[in-house]
Amino acid sequence: MKSVHVLLAFVLFALASSLASAYDPSPLQDFCVAINDPTLGIFVNGKFCKDPNLVKPDDFFFTGLNIPRDTNNQVGSNVTIVNVDQFPGLNTLGISLVRIDFAPNGGENPPHIHPRASEILFLLEGTLYVGFVTSNPNNTFFSKILHKGDVFVFPLGMIHFQVNIGKTAAVAFASLSSQNPGVITIANAVFGSMPRINPYALARAFQLDVDVVKALQLKFWTSNN
């Protein structure tokens, strides 16, 4: 009888543990609105899976990250993204990769966040000034100057950036903890949204003259659209 009680207690403990550890799956896209009629649905949280019998070695292969990208643009950088959209074999694996090329003397990957991933960055060539800011209310800024061979990590959801402070081009590779980490470039999102955010709301939030906000919106909205 005692063994029965022990077994029952173990079953109840296991059940309670499984319920306590249950959670919703992490989002793999910006949103996924529920719908009752599946025939009208076109997206899933992630990607549909290929028939395993049709999978080939090329599904797990990507090439081209050895090629330098053009950094002749407004910010002086170019990010080559390798996520599930470019590399189907990443589906469900929770990882992705980017190559970042920086122009000399100030090429920048501007302040941005990844809403679904942490990031670990490895500097292959050059010298970068990098950093991230923690959440409210402290808004603590952590920064470091990286040299060839250095590694720096950016926690999930933190605003972060990288700037080339060297006189030669810089190249970095970063791994992110999601097959589709997403990226929100702060200036582009705030001043280049479609439709535009009311400039008076932004003027108060950023403590700027409304005409300055309108000028920024014109600049970033034109760039984004």
Side-chain angles (χ1 to χ4, degrees), residues 63-122:
T63 188
L65 286 181
N66 60 311
I67 302 171
R69 265 51 179 192
D70 182 15
T71 58
N72 185 25
N73 54 50
Q74 290 179 318
V75 295
S77 70
N78 195 320
V79 180
T80 304
I81 300 171
V82 185
N83 62 26
V84 70
D85 291 328
Q86 294 81 29
F87 193 178
L90 294 178
N91 194 37
T92 76
L93 300 185
I95 54 173
S96 57
L97 182 71
V98 298
R99 171 186 170 130
I100 315 171
D101 290 276
F102 299 87
N105 300 308
E108 178 177 0
N109 190 13
H112 62 281
I113 67 170
H114 301 292
R116 294 179 289 275
S118 298
E119 174 183 350
I120 185 166
L121 180 139
F122 166 71

Side-chain angles (χ1 to χ4, degrees), residues 74 190-193 196 199 210-225:
Q74 290 179 318
V190 172
F191 297 109
S193 66
R196 299 178 188 180
V210 70
D211 290 332
V212 174
V213 171
K214 289 179 179 179
L216 288 169
Q217 287 183 314
L218 181 61
K219 178 187 292 288
F220 283 96
W221 190 89
T222 302
S223 298
N224 283 0
N225 299 278

Side-chain angles (χ1 to χ4, degrees), residues 139-155:
N139 300 131
T140 305
F141 177 49
F142 293 94
S143 66
K144 198 76 175 175
I145 293 177
L146 305 185
H147 301 280
K148 180 178 179 178
D150 288 345
V151 173
F152 195 84
V153 67
F154 304 100

